[in-house]
């Protein structure tokens, strides 16, 4: 029902760096969310997990969880924002519903949710 097309996922290093440098960050125990408004990147999202989180399997799992949380809640997010989601160490051991609650709480804190 809710799809996340590949064209909406950020891949380029300089896009990640731009959002990281100029975006406003919001954080909790599980995630860091960078919110950025830029022409050309509206409605796009990037997912990152640093080497401190663990091996490749662990990092990919964290990115998969963040992607799923975004996919399920993308209709609630205003399309004028570009997001960068960065996983934290605590997210490596948690289930999807915990990460989803963390994602939505950051969305409320950043005031990017519709309505």
């Amino acid at each position: 029902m809710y799809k996340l097309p590949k064209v909406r996922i950020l891949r380029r290093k300089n896009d990640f760096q731009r959002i990281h440098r100029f975006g406003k960050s919001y954080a909790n125990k599980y995630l860091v969310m960078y919110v950025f408004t830029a022409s050309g990147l509206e409605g796009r999202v990037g997912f990152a997990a640093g080497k401190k989180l663990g091996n490749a399997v662990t990092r990919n799992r964290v990115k998969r969880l963040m992607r799923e949380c975004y996919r399920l809640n993308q209709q609630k997010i205003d399309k004028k924002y570009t997001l960068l989601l960065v996983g934290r160490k605590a997210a490596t051991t948690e289930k999807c519903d915990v990460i989803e609650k963390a994602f939505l709480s950051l969305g409320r804190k950043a005031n990017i949710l519709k309505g």
Side-chain angles (χ1 to χ4, degrees):
M1 185 176 168
Y2 305 117
K3 289 192 173 189
L4 180 58
K6 285 189 177 184
V7 296
R8 296 218 8 243
I9 297 175
L10 294 170
R11 303 268 185 218
R12 293 173 54 216
K13 184 178 179 179
N14 57 351
D15 289 341
F16 275 83
Q17 288 174 337
R18 201 162 117 204
I19 295 166
H20 189 269
R21 187 175 298 132
F22 300 115
K24 178 132 176 56
S25 67
Y26 301 89
N28 59 24
K29 185 178 176 183
Y30 304 105
L31 299 171
V32 180
M33 178 188 286
Y34 291 91
V35 179
F36 186 58
T37 52
S39 58
L41 292 178
E42 300 96 343
R44 298 187 68 193
V45 62
F47 305 98
K51 291 246 179 139
K52 287 182 181 178
L53 296 187
N55 62 14
V57 175
T58 306
R59 295 193 306 269
N60 286 331
R61 180 179 179 277
V62 171
K63 287 193 281 190
R64 222 172 21 249
L65 286 172
M66 292 188 295
R67 229 181 357 256
E68 182 66 4
C69 294
Y70 181 82
R71 184 186 71 82
L72 293 173
N73 296 290
Q74 63 186 336
Q75 75 283 356
K76 297 177 186 174
I77 296 169
D78 203 341
K79 294 288 184 241
K80 66 183 176 186
Y81 298 107
T82 305
L83 301 181
L84 173 58
L85 295 172
V86 182
R88 284 190 155 175
K89 187 75 173 169
T92 58
T93 56
E94 292 299 336
K95 301 277 188 211
C96 191
D97 58 333
V98 176
I99 304 298
E100 190 170 358
K101 283 179 188 159
F103 173 74
L104 289 172
S105 76
L106 283 179
R108 283 189 291 277
K109 196 191 286 187
N111 202 20
I112 60 169
L113 300 178
K114 292 177 184 171

